[in-house]
Amino acid sequence: MITLILLLIPSNGPLLKLYLKLLVISSSLALNFSSIDVNSQNMIKISSQNYNKASMSCETLDYIPKKAYVVKPILESHSVIQANKNLAIVQDQRSTSYNTVNYEIKSKNNISNLVLPNVYYPGMHVYVNNREVKIKQNQHQLMVVPVNSKSAKISVEYQKTKLQIISGCISLFTLIGMIIYLVFSKRKS
């Protein structure tokens, strides 16, 4: 999109400078979490208090959806036990990496469905004992997965969606196009 706009704007005209200034201003406004007054009923008021309510305070920089505000302590603790208070389970281990959270759980009884202390986002995949399972969501948007055993090794993995991959390629091509444009416009001058 940006490449198309840059191709339509003359290379040494004032429109290019105006467009680049607007791009910088709009980028900085997108990162502003200070209080914004909104009169429309379809929009929410963003303040630092609302941001703190929706953001995680643990090792992740995720935000949480409004439905998950009530389970924020469970999300921050990553406790499978707290997420499943009605089940007699033991969480042996939890480990994290860049895009994966691993849990090991045990129970004396067979576990049919287990609530994981993770909010579902597109691109999330869950593996129970190395087999991918279908993810459901509860009323707080936490992931619910079938286990059907007394013990399990559960891996919650995030993989980029097709839309994210396509968007990344478009951004990369735009960046390359802008660099090529800037190099050739300076050589002409």
Side-chain angles (χ1 to χ4, degrees), residues 125-180:
H125 298 267
V126 176
Y127 300 89
V128 176
N129 297 326
N130 296 321
R131 296 173 68 186
E132 187 168 10
V133 295
K134 185 176 180 182
I135 304 169
K136 296 180 182 176
Q137 296 177 46
N138 69 5
Q139 70 272 20
H140 303 296
Q141 290 184 279
L142 298 183
M143 292 188 273
V144 180
V145 295
V147 175
N148 300 320
S149 69
K150 292 182 179 181
S151 66
K153 290 183 179 183
I154 301 166
S155 180
V156 180
E157 187 176 307
Y158 175 76
Q159 299 171 2
K160 292 186 188 274
T161 63
K162 290 178 184 178
L163 181 61
Q164 288 173 321
I165 294 168
I166 291 169
S167 298
C169 290
I170 290 171
S171 296
L172 180 64
F173 290 134
T174 300
L175 178 64
I176 292 169
M178 288 177 68
I179 291 170
I180 291 171

Short mmCIF file of all heavy atoms in Angstrom, two decimals, residues 125-180:
data_model
loop_
_atom_site.label_atom_id
_atom_site.label_comp_id
_atom_site.label_asym_id
_atom_site.label_seq_id
_atom_site.Cartn_x
_atom_site.Cartn_y
_atom_site.Cartn_z
N HIS A 125 -1.79 -23.27 18.71
CA HIS A 125 -1.93 -24.71 18.51
C HIS A 125 -1.58 -25.39 19.82
O HIS A 125 -0.64 -24.98 20.50
CB HIS A 125 -1.01 -25.21 17.39
CG HIS A 125 -1.30 -24.62 16.06
ND1 HIS A 125 -2.14 -25.23 15.16
CD2 HIS A 125 -0.90 -23.46 15.48
CE1 HIS A 125 -2.22 -24.47 14.08
NE2 HIS A 125 -1.49 -23.39 14.25
N VAL A 126 -2.33 -26.43 20.18
CA VAL A 126 -2.07 -27.16 21.41
C VAL A 126 -1.80 -28.62 21.06
O VAL A 126 -2.52 -29.24 20.28
CB VAL A 126 -3.26 -27.06 22.40
CG1 VAL A 126 -3.00 -27.91 23.63
CG2 VAL A 126 -3.50 -25.61 22.80
N TYR A 127 -0.74 -29.15 21.68
CA TYR A 127 -0.36 -30.55 21.50
C TYR A 127 -0.43 -31.23 22.86
O TYR A 127 0.17 -30.76 23.83
CB TYR A 127 1.05 -30.65 20.93
CG TYR A 127 1.19 -29.96 19.58
CD1 TYR A 127 1.52 -28.61 19.51
CD2 TYR A 127 0.95 -30.65 18.41
CE1 TYR A 127 1.63 -27.97 18.29
CE2 TYR A 127 1.05 -30.01 17.18
CZ TYR A 127 1.39 -28.67 17.13
OH TYR A 127 1.48 -28.04 15.92
N VAL A 128 -1.20 -32.31 22.95
CA VAL A 128 -1.30 -33.11 24.16
C VAL A 128 -0.62 -34.44 23.87
O VAL A 128 -1.03 -35.16 22.96
CB VAL A 128 -2.77 -33.33 24.59
CG1 VAL A 128 -2.86 -34.25 25.79
CG2 VAL A 128 -3.46 -32.00 24.87
N ASN A 129 0.44 -34.73 24.62
CA ASN A 129 1.26 -35.93 24.39
C ASN A 129 1.68 -36.04 22.93
O ASN A 129 1.54 -37.07 22.28
CB ASN A 129 0.53 -37.18 24.87
CG ASN A 129 0.29 -37.15 26.37
OD1 ASN A 129 1.10 -36.63 27.12
ND2 ASN A 129 -0.84 -37.68 26.79
N ASN A 130 2.16 -34.93 22.39
CA ASN A 130 2.70 -34.81 21.03
C ASN A 130 1.66 -34.97 19.92
O ASN A 130 2.02 -35.19 18.77
CB ASN A 130 3.86 -35.79 20.81
CG ASN A 130 5.03 -35.49 21.71
OD1 ASN A 130 5.36 -34.32 21.94
ND2 ASN A 130 5.65 -36.52 22.24
N ARG A 131 0.38 -34.88 20.24
CA ARG A 131 -0.68 -34.95 19.22
C ARG A 131 -1.48 -33.66 19.27
O ARG A 131 -1.93 -33.24 20.34
CB ARG A 131 -1.59 -36.15 19.48
CG ARG A 131 -0.83 -37.47 19.34
CD ARG A 131 -1.64 -38.65 19.74
NE ARG A 131 -2.73 -38.85 18.80
CZ ARG A 131 -3.68 -39.74 18.97
NH1 ARG A 131 -3.70 -40.49 20.04
NH2 ARG A 131 -4.62 -39.88 18.07
N GLU A 132 -1.65 -33.03 18.10
CA GLU A 132 -2.41 -31.76 18.08
C GLU A 132 -3.88 -32.04 18.37
O GLU A 132 -4.46 -33.01 17.87
CB GLU A 132 -2.28 -31.07 16.72
CG GLU A 132 -2.91 -29.69 16.72
CD GLU A 132 -2.55 -28.85 15.51
OE1 GLU A 132 -1.96 -29.38 14.54
OE2 GLU A 132 -2.89 -27.66 15.54
N VAL A 133 -4.47 -31.19 19.22
CA VAL A 133 -5.86 -31.33 19.60
C VAL A 133 -6.62 -30.06 19.23
O VAL A 133 -6.03 -28.98 19.07
CB VAL A 133 -6.03 -31.62 21.11
CG1 VAL A 133 -5.42 -32.96 21.48
CG2 VAL A 133 -5.44 -30.51 21.96
N LYS A 134 -7.94 -30.21 19.11
CA LYS A 134 -8.78 -29.08 18.79
C LYS A 134 -8.96 -28.20 20.03
O LYS A 134 -9.22 -28.70 21.13
CB LYS A 134 -10.14 -29.55 18.29
CG LYS A 134 -11.04 -28.44 17.81
CD LYS A 134 -12.34 -28.96 17.24
CE LYS A 134 -13.18 -27.78 16.79
NZ LYS A 134 -14.46 -28.20 16.28
N ILE A 135 -8.84 -26.89 19.83
CA ILE A 135 -8.95 -25.94 20.94
C ILE A 135 -10.36 -25.38 21.00
O ILE A 135 -10.91 -24.95 19.99
CB ILE A 135 -7.97 -24.76 20.76
CG1 ILE A 135 -6.54 -25.27 20.62
CG2 ILE A 135 -8.10 -23.76 21.90
CD1 ILE A 135 -5.55 -24.20 20.18
N LYS A 136 -10.94 -25.39 22.19
CA LYS A 136 -12.21 -24.71 22.46
C LYS A 136 -11.91 -23.56 23.41
O LYS A 136 -10.83 -23.48 23.98
CB LYS A 136 -13.22 -25.67 23.07
CG LYS A 136 -13.63 -26.80 22.16
CD LYS A 136 -14.62 -27.71 22.84
CE LYS A 136 -14.97 -28.89 21.92
NZ LYS A 136 -15.87 -29.83 22.59
N GLN A 137 -12.90 -22.67 23.59
CA GLN A 137 -12.74 -21.55 24.51
C GLN A 137 -13.84 -21.57 25.55
O GLN A 137 -14.98 -21.91 25.22
CB GLN A 137 -12.82 -20.23 23.75
CG GLN A 137 -11.73 -20.00 22.74
CD GLN A 137 -11.94 -18.69 22.01
OE1 GLN A 137 -12.21 -17.67 22.61
NE2 GLN A 137 -11.81 -18.73 20.70
N ASN A 138 -13.50 -21.18 26.78
CA ASN A 138 -14.55 -21.04 27.79
C ASN A 138 -15.06 -19.61 27.79
O ASN A 138 -14.69 -18.81 26.91
CB ASN A 138 -14.06 -21.51 29.17
CG ASN A 138 -13.02 -20.59 29.78
OD1 ASN A 138 -12.68 -19.53 29.25
ND2 ASN A 138 -12.50 -20.99 30.92
N GLN A 139 -15.90 -19.26 28.75
CA GLN A 139 -16.52 -17.93 28.78
C GLN A 139 -15.51 -16.81 29.00
O GLN A 139 -15.80 -15.65 28.73
CB GLN A 139 -17.63 -17.87 29.85
CG GLN A 139 -17.13 -17.91 31.29
CD GLN A 139 -16.98 -19.32 31.82
OE1 GLN A 139 -16.89 -20.30 31.08
NE2 GLN A 139 -16.95 -19.45 33.15
N HIS A 140 -14.31 -17.12 29.46
CA HIS A 140 -13.27 -16.11 29.68
C HIS A 140 -12.21 -16.12 28.58
O HIS A 140 -11.15 -15.52 28.74
CB HIS A 140 -12.60 -16.32 31.04
CG HIS A 140 -13.56 -16.30 32.18
ND1 HIS A 140 -14.29 -15.19 32.53
CD2 HIS A 140 -13.92 -17.26 33.05
CE1 HIS A 140 -15.06 -15.46 33.56
NE2 HIS A 140 -14.85 -16.73 33.89
N GLN A 141 -12.47 -16.82 27.49
CA GLN A 141 -11.59 -16.96 26.34
C GLN A 141 -10.31 -17.75 26.67
O GLN A 141 -9.32 -17.67 25.96
CB GLN A 141 -11.25 -15.62 25.72
CG GLN A 141 -12.43 -14.98 25.01
CD GLN A 141 -12.07 -13.70 24.31
OE1 GLN A 141 -11.99 -12.65 24.93
NE2 GLN A 141 -11.84 -13.81 23.01
N LEU A 142 -10.34 -18.53 27.77
CA LEU A 142 -9.23 -19.43 28.05
C LEU A 142 -9.39 -20.68 27.20
O LEU A 142 -10.50 -21.08 26.86
CB LEU A 142 -9.21 -19.81 29.53
CG LEU A 142 -9.00 -18.69 30.53
CD1 LEU A 142 -8.94 -19.24 31.95
CD2 LEU A 142 -7.76 -17.89 30.23
N MET A 143 -8.27 -21.30 26.87
CA MET A 143 -8.30 -22.49 26.02
C MET A 143 -8.74 -23.72 26.82
O MET A 143 -8.27 -23.92 27.94
CB MET A 143 -6.93 -22.73 25.40
CG MET A 143 -6.55 -21.67 24.40
SD MET A 143 -5.05 -22.08 23.52
CE MET A 143 -3.85 -21.44 24.65
N VAL A 144 -9.61 -24.51 26.23
CA VAL A 144 -10.06 -25.77 26.81
C VAL A 144 -9.69 -26.86 25.81
O VAL A 144 -10.06 -26.78 24.63
CB VAL A 144 -11.59 -25.77 27.07
CG1 VAL A 144 -12.03 -27.09 27.67
CG2 VAL A 144 -11.98 -24.60 27.96
N VAL A 145 -8.94 -27.86 26.29
CA VAL A 145 -8.48 -28.93 25.39
C VAL A 145 -8.83 -30.30 25.95
O VAL A 145 -8.85 -30.49 27.17
CB VAL A 145 -6.95 -28.83 25.16
CG1 VAL A 145 -6.60 -27.56 24.42
CG2 VAL A 145 -6.17 -28.94 26.44
N PRO A 146 -9.09 -31.26 25.07
CA PRO A 146 -9.33 -32.64 25.54
C PRO A 146 -8.00 -33.30 25.89
O PRO A 146 -7.03 -33.19 25.16
CB PRO A 146 -9.99 -33.31 24.33
CG PRO A 146 -9.49 -32.54 23.15
CD PRO A 146 -9.28 -31.13 23.63
N VAL A 147 -7.97 -33.99 27.04
CA VAL A 147 -6.76 -34.68 27.47
C VAL A 147 -6.98 -36.20 27.42
O VAL A 147 -6.17 -36.93 26.87
CB VAL A 147 -6.35 -34.23 28.89
CG1 VAL A 147 -5.16 -35.04 29.39
CG2 VAL A 147 -6.01 -32.76 28.89
N ASN A 148 -8.08 -36.67 28.03
CA ASN A 148 -8.46 -38.09 28.03
C ASN A 148 -7.36 -39.03 28.54
O ASN A 148 -7.12 -40.09 27.96
CB ASN A 148 -8.94 -38.52 26.64
CG ASN A 148 -10.14 -37.73 26.19
OD1 ASN A 148 -11.04 -37.44 26.98
ND2 ASN A 148 -10.15 -37.33 24.93
N SER A 149 -6.69 -38.61 29.61
CA SER A 149 -5.71 -39.49 30.26
C SER A 149 -5.46 -38.97 31.68
O SER A 149 -5.95 -37.91 32.05
CB SER A 149 -4.40 -39.54 29.47
OG SER A 149 -3.74 -38.31 29.53
N LYS A 150 -4.69 -39.74 32.46
CA LYS A 150 -4.39 -39.35 33.83
C LYS A 150 -3.17 -38.43 33.93
O LYS A 150 -2.99 -37.73 34.91
CB LYS A 150 -4.16 -40.59 34.70
CG LYS A 150 -5.41 -41.41 34.91
CD LYS A 150 -5.13 -42.59 35.79
CE LYS A 150 -6.41 -43.39 36.01
NZ LYS A 150 -6.19 -44.55 36.88
N SER A 151 -2.33 -38.46 32.91
CA SER A 151 -1.17 -37.56 32.87
C SER A 151 -0.96 -37.09 31.44
O SER A 151 -1.34 -37.78 30.49
CB SER A 151 0.07 -38.26 33.40
OG SER A 151 0.43 -39.30 32.53
N ALA A 152 -0.37 -35.93 31.32
CA ALA A 152 -0.18 -35.38 29.98
C ALA A 152 0.96 -34.38 29.95
O ALA A 152 1.20 -33.67 30.93
CB ALA A 152 -1.46 -34.72 29.49
N LYS A 153 1.60 -34.34 28.80
CA LYS A 153 2.55 -33.27 28.49
C LYS A 153 1.84 -32.40 27.47
O LYS A 153 1.50 -32.87 26.38
CB LYS A 153 3.85 -33.84 27.93
CG LYS A 153 4.67 -34.59 28.96
CD LYS A 153 5.97 -35.06 28.38
CE LYS A 153 6.77 -35.78 29.46
NZ LYS A 153 8.08 -36.21 28.98
N ILE A 154 1.62 -31.16 27.85
CA ILE A 154 0.84 -30.24 27.01
C ILE A 154 1.75 -29.13 26.53
O ILE A 154 2.48 -28.52 27.31
CB ILE A 154 -0.35 -29.66 27.80
CG1 ILE A 154 -1.24 -30.78 28.29
CG2 ILE A 154 -1.13 -28.67 26.94
CD1 ILE A 154 -2.22 -30.38 29.35
N SER A 155 1.70 -28.86 25.25
CA SER A 155 2.50 -27.81 24.65
C SER A 155 1.57 -26.83 23.93
O SER A 155 0.82 -27.23 23.04
CB SER A 155 3.50 -28.41 23.67
OG SER A 155 4.29 -27.41 23.09
N VAL A 156 1.59 -25.58 24.34
CA VAL A 156 0.81 -24.51 23.70
C VAL A 156 1.79 -23.74 22.84
O VAL A 156 2.74 -23.14 23.34
CB VAL A 156 0.16 -23.58 24.74
CG1 VAL A 156 -0.64 -22.49 24.06
CG2 VAL A 156 -0.71 -24.37 25.70
N GLU A 157 1.55 -23.76 21.55
CA GLU A 157 2.51 -23.17 20.61
C GLU A 157 1.83 -22.12 19.74
O GLU A 157 0.72 -22.32 19.26
CB GLU A 157 3.07 -24.29 19.72
CG GLU A 157 4.18 -23.87 18.81
CD GLU A 157 4.74 -25.05 18.05
OE1 GLU A 157 5.10 -26.05 18.69
OE2 GLU A 157 4.78 -24.96 16.81
N TYR A 158 2.52 -21.01 19.55
CA TYR A 158 2.00 -19.96 18.67
C TYR A 158 2.73 -20.04 17.34
O TYR A 158 3.96 -20.07 17.29
CB TYR A 158 2.21 -18.57 19.28
CG TYR A 158 1.80 -17.48 18.34
CD1 TYR A 158 0.46 -17.19 18.16
CD2 TYR A 158 2.73 -16.77 17.61
CE1 TYR A 158 0.06 -16.22 17.26
CE2 TYR A 158 2.35 -15.79 16.73
CZ TYR A 158 1.02 -15.52 16.56
OH TYR A 158 0.62 -14.56 15.66
N GLN A 159 1.95 -20.09 16.25
CA GLN A 159 2.51 -20.09 14.90
C GLN A 159 1.87 -18.94 14.14
O GLN A 159 0.68 -18.69 14.29
CB GLN A 159 2.20 -21.41 14.20
CG GLN A 159 2.79 -22.61 14.90
CD GLN A 159 2.29 -23.93 14.32
OE1 GLN A 159 1.53 -23.96 13.36
NE2 GLN A 159 2.72 -25.02 14.92
N LYS A 160 2.66 -18.27 13.35
CA LYS A 160 2.13 -17.13 12.58
C LYS A 160 1.01 -17.59 11.65
O LYS A 160 1.09 -18.66 11.05
CB LYS A 160 3.24 -16.47 11.78
CG LYS A 160 4.27 -15.78 12.65
CD LYS A 160 5.26 -15.01 11.81
CE LYS A 160 6.37 -14.48 12.63
NZ LYS A 160 6.20 -13.26 13.25
N THR A 161 -0.01 -16.76 11.53
CA THR A 161 -1.11 -17.06 10.62
C THR A 161 -0.71 -16.69 9.20
O THR A 161 0.27 -15.95 8.98
CB THR A 161 -2.37 -16.28 11.02
OG1 THR A 161 -2.11 -14.87 10.89
CG2 THR A 161 -2.81 -16.59 12.44
N LYS A 162 -1.45 -17.16 8.24
CA LYS A 162 -1.17 -16.83 6.83
C LYS A 162 -1.25 -15.33 6.60
O LYS A 162 -0.43 -14.77 5.87
CB LYS A 162 -2.14 -17.57 5.91
CG LYS A 162 -1.90 -19.05 5.86
CD LYS A 162 -2.91 -19.75 4.97
CE LYS A 162 -2.69 -21.26 5.04
NZ LYS A 162 -3.65 -22.00 4.25
N LEU A 163 -2.22 -14.68 7.23
CA LEU A 163 -2.37 -13.23 7.08
C LEU A 163 -1.14 -12.50 7.63
O LEU A 163 -0.66 -11.54 7.02
CB LEU A 163 -3.63 -12.75 7.80
CG LEU A 163 -3.93 -11.25 7.71
CD1 LEU A 163 -4.13 -10.83 6.26
CD2 LEU A 163 -5.16 -10.92 8.53
N GLN A 164 -0.59 -12.95 8.75
CA GLN A 164 0.61 -12.33 9.30
C GLN A 164 1.81 -12.52 8.37
O GLN A 164 2.62 -11.61 8.21
CB GLN A 164 0.93 -12.91 10.67
CG GLN A 164 -0.03 -12.47 11.75
CD GLN A 164 0.23 -13.20 13.05
OE1 GLN A 164 0.52 -14.39 13.06
NE2 GLN A 164 0.12 -12.47 14.15
N ILE A 165 1.93 -13.69 7.78
CA ILE A 165 3.04 -13.95 6.86
C ILE A 165 2.93 -13.06 5.62
O ILE A 165 3.90 -12.45 5.19
CB ILE A 165 3.09 -15.45 6.48
CG1 ILE A 165 3.44 -16.28 7.73
CG2 ILE A 165 4.07 -15.71 5.35
CD1 ILE A 165 3.24 -17.76 7.56
N ILE A 166 1.72 -12.97 5.07
CA ILE A 166 1.49 -12.12 3.89
C ILE A 166 1.76 -10.66 4.23
O ILE A 166 2.42 -9.94 3.48
CB ILE A 166 0.06 -12.32 3.34
CG1 ILE A 166 -0.07 -13.73 2.74
CG2 ILE A 166 -0.29 -11.26 2.32
CD1 ILE A 166 -1.49 -14.13 2.42
N SER A 167 1.28 -10.21 5.40
CA SER A 167 1.51 -8.82 5.82
C SER A 167 3.00 -8.55 6.00
O SER A 167 3.49 -7.48 5.63
CB SER A 167 0.78 -8.53 7.13
OG SER A 167 -0.60 -8.68 6.98
N GLY A 168 3.72 -9.49 6.57
CA GLY A 168 5.16 -9.33 6.74
C GLY A 168 5.88 -9.22 5.40
O GLY A 168 6.79 -8.40 5.24
N CYS A 169 5.46 -10.03 4.43
CA CYS A 169 6.06 -9.97 3.08
C CYS A 169 5.78 -8.62 2.43
O CYS A 169 6.67 -8.02 1.82
CB CYS A 169 5.54 -11.11 2.22
SG CYS A 169 6.15 -12.73 2.71
N ILE A 170 4.55 -8.14 2.57
CA ILE A 170 4.19 -6.84 2.00
C ILE A 170 5.04 -5.74 2.64
O ILE A 170 5.57 -4.86 1.95
CB ILE A 170 2.68 -6.55 2.16
CG1 ILE A 170 1.88 -7.49 1.25
CG2 ILE A 170 2.35 -5.09 1.87
CD1 ILE A 170 0.38 -7.45 1.50
N SER A 171 5.21 -5.80 3.96
CA SER A 171 6.03 -4.80 4.65
C SER A 171 7.48 -4.87 4.20
O SER A 171 8.12 -3.84 3.99
CB SER A 171 5.95 -5.01 6.16
OG SER A 171 4.65 -4.81 6.63
N LEU A 172 8.00 -6.07 4.04
CA LEU A 172 9.38 -6.23 3.59
C LEU A 172 9.56 -5.67 2.18
O LEU A 172 10.52 -4.93 1.92
CB LEU A 172 9.79 -7.71 3.64
CG LEU A 172 11.21 -8.02 3.20
CD1 LEU A 172 12.21 -7.38 4.14
CD2 LEU A 172 11.42 -9.52 3.13
N PHE A 173 8.64 -6.01 1.28
CA PHE A 173 8.73 -5.48 -0.08
C PHE A 173 8.58 -3.97 -0.10
O PHE A 173 9.24 -3.27 -0.89
CB PHE A 173 7.69 -6.14 -1.00
CG PHE A 173 7.98 -7.59 -1.29
CD1 PHE A 173 6.98 -8.53 -1.19
CD2 PHE A 173 9.25 -8.03 -1.62
CE1 PHE A 173 7.23 -9.88 -1.45
CE2 PHE A 173 9.52 -9.36 -1.87
CZ PHE A 173 8.50 -10.29 -1.78
N THR A 174 7.75 -3.42 0.77
CA THR A 174 7.59 -1.97 0.87
C THR A 174 8.89 -1.34 1.33
O THR A 174 9.33 -0.32 0.77
CB THR A 174 6.45 -1.62 1.85
OG1 THR A 174 5.25 -2.20 1.37
CG2 THR A 174 6.30 -0.12 2.00
N LEU A 175 9.53 -1.92 2.35
CA LEU A 175 10.80 -1.40 2.84
C LEU A 175 11.87 -1.44 1.75
O LEU A 175 12.58 -0.46 1.53
CB LEU A 175 11.26 -2.19 4.06
CG LEU A 175 12.60 -1.78 4.67
CD1 LEU A 175 12.54 -0.36 5.20
CD2 LEU A 175 13.00 -2.75 5.76
N ILE A 176 11.96 -2.55 1.05
CA ILE A 176 12.93 -2.67 -0.04
C ILE A 176 12.62 -1.65 -1.12
O ILE A 176 13.52 -0.99 -1.65
CB ILE A 176 12.93 -4.11 -0.61
CG1 ILE A 176 13.50 -5.08 0.44
CG2 ILE A 176 13.72 -4.19 -1.91
CD1 ILE A 176 13.32 -6.54 0.11
N GLY A 177 11.34 -1.49 -1.46
CA GLY A 177 10.94 -0.50 -2.47
C GLY A 177 11.31 0.92 -2.05
O GLY A 177 11.77 1.72 -2.87
N MET A 178 11.12 1.25 -0.76
CA MET A 178 11.46 2.59 -0.29
C MET A 178 12.97 2.82 -0.33
O MET A 178 13.43 3.90 -0.70
CB MET A 178 10.94 2.79 1.14
CG MET A 178 9.43 2.94 1.21
SD MET A 178 8.82 3.10 2.89
CE MET A 178 9.47 4.69 3.35
N ILE A 179 13.75 1.80 0.03
CA ILE A 179 15.21 1.93 -0.01
C ILE A 179 15.68 2.13 -1.45
O ILE A 179 16.51 3.01 -1.73
CB ILE A 179 15.89 0.72 0.65
CG1 ILE A 179 15.62 0.72 2.16
CG2 ILE A 179 17.39 0.69 0.35
CD1 ILE A 179 16.03 -0.54 2.88
N ILE A 180 15.16 1.33 -2.36
CA ILE A 180 15.52 1.47 -3.78
C ILE A 180 15.13 2.84 -4.29
O ILE A 180 15.89 3.52 -4.97
CB ILE A 180 14.87 0.35 -4.62
CG1 ILE A 180 15.52 -1.01 -4.28
CG2 ILE A 180 14.97 0.64 -6.12
CD1 ILE A 180 14.81 -2.20 -4.88
#
